[in-house]
Amino acid sequence: MGKLVTIGIPLYNMESTIGKAIDSCLSQTYKNIEILVVDDGSTDNSANIVKKYNDKRIRYIAKKHNSGVCDTMNVIVENAKGKYVAFLDADDEMLNTRIEKQYKAIRRAKIFHSKKMVASFCGSKMVDLKTNTISYINPNKLFKGEFGGGTGHSMYKVRDIKELGGFDTRFSRSADSALCLKFLVRGGHYAMVKEPLLIYNFIWTKDKEEYSQKEMQVFNDLVEEIVKPKDFSRKYLKNLNSHWKEIRENMKKDAKSGKLSFLNNYVKLVQIKRKLYLYLLLYCSVRYILEKRRLDEIEFREKFKLEPHTYLIDKLLKGCKYKKYLELGVFDGVAFNYINKNNKLKLAKCVDMNRMHTISDKYFCNMTTDEFFLKNDKRFDLIFIDADHRFEQVVKDFQNSLNILEKGGTIILHDTDPSSKELFADVYCSNSYKMNQYLDEKNDFQYITLPIGNCGLTIVRRKEDMRHLEWLNMG
């Protein structure tokens, strides 16, 4: 039998639906559950309906005063006896396999992310009760404009929610997105279950349209609090707030189709307003894919027909409109050929001591990196350093690359995730993971390290080129 899972239901005046919600919990194929209903001061018959159930798995807690859904969710977390908690709104229902499938997804992901926080999102069937229209939410599109991380889709470890500070009671509706952001900032991994395991009943009402500017500012403040950058630009926040009307209109459009997340629109606005939107995209939208390892990377390759680092380089070239690419260390040439073929590059070069017959002589430089830098007179927008994994040589290649890097350019360093230190020593005989410490000591660079592949990649830019994007270094 698996670990105890608490199904938490926040309740407030839902006498017409709370019975169906509880019945869907009792029908779960995963049997080791408790159902914790926390009543936020209901004034209808909701409490009596819950109390009629004669099942030891159901616990009922009545709050003395109505204090809002966020506080109610925190009461659920504080009183949960389970190791994991799955949430369900009192007007929704879930399929009988939801807990079983989300629990298995978390346990499976934990094998490959043993040192990370791991949670799960499931898909849902969204029913607009006013228009009787049905649509579906795909969790694999988390933060991509179609889904904002609704709590009813989620299962978390109870301890992780407590460690993240619980649900932020400053929010009336966006606490779920705020928790998602805090989870991602801490390097958390979401195990996605695409299957719609939740029936999300939705009624569009006027009050849901009246999002307050105050709540948007709370979210901005939250970003500043949890990211804690050294040089956070208040001008950037001011710029976001100056576009409030646009944000508001986007929210109205999204809300009418069930997309009710502030974070969702926040991300989209940044994508629209910043040429280097990809940094945010990588962290909040693609990270949960790219950070997967071993079995998860096999799934990635099958889906995209690419290695994760090739996908990343290709997206950087397109997103940042780079035209001049240099690759130091080629391996088998497949990645370089793909990138060169799928981007309209003005200049493309690759360097390796071993002759690559798969690459045309027009692009290939058969020499060491030291020899290349002595002979080269070109400048590049994007440089991928993967030639040598000894820290001293990586530093040397990095310093030489800075001399030929265009203003606003990016350098990608390979095998640099410090959390893979043991793997470096046992398998790769490398110490290039020290590059993160080197970059911190220099204090001239902004970087993000993503655990792509076995030992990660680090995206580096000069600080003067980052400006308002300083806060994006969340990891």
Side-chain angles (χ1 to χ4, degrees):
M1 183 179 290
K3 301 293 183 181
L4 178 65
V5 176
T6 297
I7 303 175
I9 305 178
L11 173 64
Y12 180 69
N13 289 348
M14 287 290 175
E15 61 181 5
S16 63
T17 59
I18 182 60
K20 290 183 179 179
I22 292 175
D23 289 343
S24 72
C25 296
L26 293 173
S27 68
Q28 291 299 299
T29 56
Y30 186 91
K31 299 303 181 183
N32 194 16
I33 62 171
E34 68 158 352
I35 302 165
L36 178 56
V37 181
V38 177
D39 193 337
D40 192 22
S42 294
T43 56
D44 63 0
N45 197 41
S46 294
N48 291 330
I49 293 174
V50 177
K51 292 176 182 178
K52 285 182 180 179
Y53 282 87
N54 185 23
D55 194 305
K56 293 181 179 180
R57 294 174 294 175
I58 299 175
R59 287 196 294 142
Y60 174 77
I61 296 177
K63 292 165 60 180
K64 293 182 179 179
H65 306 287
N66 177 272
S67 55
V69 66
C70 294
D71 181 68
T72 304
M73 301 287 272
N74 285 331
V75 173
I76 290 173
V77 173
E78 287 300 320
N79 289 274
K81 294 181 179 179
K83 183 175 182 178
Y84 297 93
V85 58
F87 296 97
L88 178 69
D89 291 342
D91 56 346
D92 294 339
E93 302 166 57
M94 53 184 174
L95 273 64
N96 64 349
T97 56
R98 178 193 166 186
I99 301 301
E100 178 183 356
K101 290 184 176 181
Q102 286 196 272
Y103 178 80
K104 286 181 178 178
I106 289 176
R107 299 299 296 172
R108 177 172 173 267
K110 199 67 180 174
I111 295 172
F112 305 105
H113 304 278
S114 59
K115 296 181 180 179
K116 293 178 180 292
M117 291 182 175
V118 176
S120 175
F121 274 106
C122 70
S124 68
K125 174 184 177 182
M126 189 173 72
V127 182
D128 188 327
L129 299 179
K130 188 174 182 180
T131 63
N132 289 322
T133 56
I134 295 175
S135 58
Y136 292 88
I137 291 177
N138 180 356
N140 287 320
K141 295 182 179 180
L142 182 67
F143 303 130
K144 289 184 178 180
E146 294 194 15
F147 181 53
T151 310
H153 301 77
S154 65
M155 180 188 288
Y156 287 91
K157 184 179 286 187
V158 172
R159 184 182 65 188
D160 290 346
I161 297 179
K162 291 180 179 179
E163 191 173 326
L164 293 171
F167 293 91
D168 195 326
T169 55
R170 292 176 294 177
F171 292 100
S172 59
R173 296 187 184 91
S174 301
D176 51 0
S177 294
L179 184 68
C180 286
L181 181 59
K182 290 192 283 187
F183 184 84
L184 287 171
V185 168
R186 290 290 296 273
H189 172 83
Y190 281 119
M192 302 299 181
V193 181
K194 184 178 179 180
E195 185 179 347
L197 301 176
L198 175 73
I199 300 175
Y200 176 29
N201 296 313
F202 174 76
I203 301 177
W204 175 248
T205 56
K206 188 176 180 180
D207 70 292
K208 292 178 181 177
E209 186 176 324
E210 297 174 351
Y211 290 101
S212 67
Q213 187 166 353
K214 179 180 178 181
E215 185 147 325
M216 182 62 183
Q217 184 58 53
V218 172
F219 199 92
N220 287 339
D221 292 342
L222 176 69
V223 171
E224 187 170 359
E225 289 170 14
I226 65 178
V227 175
K228 302 184 187 305
K230 297 178 181 177
D231 185 25
F232 190 87
S233 173
R234 293 186 179 276
K235 182 179 178 182
Y236 185 56
L237 281 182
K238 189 175 181 180
N239 182 49
L240 278 178
N241 287 327
S242 70
H243 295 287
W244 171 249
K245 289 184 179 180
E246 182 177 350
I247 297 172
R248 185 180 176 84
E249 289 305 311
N250 285 339
M251 286 180 177
K252 287 181 182 179
K253 292 177 183 177
D254 285 351
K256 287 178 180 178
S257 57
K259 306 163 190 175
L260 299 174
S261 166
F262 273 93
L263 178 59
N264 188 16
N265 289 281
Y266 189 90
V267 169
K268 286 201 295 184
L269 188 68
V270 174
Q271 291 176 340
I272 293 168
K273 298 299 177 183
R274 295 293 167 207
K275 290 182 179 180
L276 292 175
Y277 72 92
L278 193 66
Y279 280 89
L280 187 59
L281 178 67
L282 284 170
Y283 205 91
C284 287
S285 179
V286 182
R287 173 172 178 153
Y288 78 93
I289 297 176
L290 294 183
E291 72 175 1
K292 297 179 182 180
R293 300 182 181 179
R294 299 179 186 175
L295 181 60
D296 292 291
E297 286 203 0
I298 294 174
E299 295 173 353
F300 183 95
R301 294 184 187 103
E302 289 177 350
K303 180 176 182 179
F304 293 98
K305 309 303 179 185
L306 290 172
E307 291 292 324
H309 77 273
T310 307
Y311 178 86
L312 168 64
I313 293 169
D314 183 62
K315 289 297 181 183
L316 273 172
L317 285 166
K318 288 182 170 65
C320 299
K321 297 181 180 179
Y322 289 151
K323 298 296 181 184
K324 293 177 285 186
Y325 173 65
L326 171 64
E327 186 168 306
L328 304 178
V330 184
F331 189 54
D332 59 4
V334 174
F336 179 87
N337 285 331
Y338 175 89
I339 290 164
N340 193 26
K341 180 180 178 180
N342 289 276
N343 292 274
K344 296 179 181 179
L345 300 176
K346 293 180 180 178
L347 177 64
K349 292 289 182 183
C350 56
V351 181
D352 202 290
M353 290 178 62
N354 299 311
R355 184 70 183 94
M356 293 293 158
H357 295 287
T358 58
I359 301 175
S360 167
D361 290 338
K362 178 181 177 180
Y363 308 109
F364 189 77
C365 301
N366 190 192
M367 60 185 70
T368 66
T369 55
D370 289 342
E371 291 171 340
F372 173 79
F373 286 117
L374 285 173
K375 296 179 180 180
N376 174 67
D377 60 352
K378 308 293 184 182
R379 298 182 67 83
F380 298 86
D381 295 316
L382 180 62
I383 302 175
F384 179 43
I385 301 176
D386 186 26
D388 191 299
H389 300 272
R390 294 169 299 161
F391 171 69
E392 295 77 9
Q393 185 62 43
V394 177
V395 170
K396 190 175 181 180
D397 288 342
F398 177 77
Q399 291 172 339
N400 285 329
S401 295
L402 288 172
N403 295 329
I404 61 171
L405 186 68
E406 293 278 20
K407 185 176 181 180
T410 298
I411 294 175
I412 300 178
L413 301 167
H414 193 237
D415 287 2
T416 48
D417 183 8
S419 66
S420 300
K421 184 175 179 179
E422 293 181 4
L423 189 59
F424 278 102
D426 295 340
V427 181
Y428 294 95
C429 300
S430 165
N431 58 356
S432 53
Y433 62 86
K434 293 182 180 179
M435 282 302 296
N436 284 266
Q437 182 179 347
Y438 170 84
L439 293 170
D440 285 334
E441 291 172 353
K442 290 298 180 183
N443 201 33
D444 294 321
F445 308 100
Q446 187 77 357
Y447 70 92
I448 300 172
T449 295
L450 298 172
I452 300 170
N454 289 320
C455 298
L457 292 175
T458 296
I459 305 168
V460 187
R461 305 193 84 226
R462 296 185 183 94
K463 274 192 174 180
E464 60 264 28
D465 293 330
M466 294 300 291
R467 300 197 304 165
H468 303 314
L469 294 170
E470 172 75 20
W471 66 280
L472 291 177
N473 181 20
M474 300 179 182

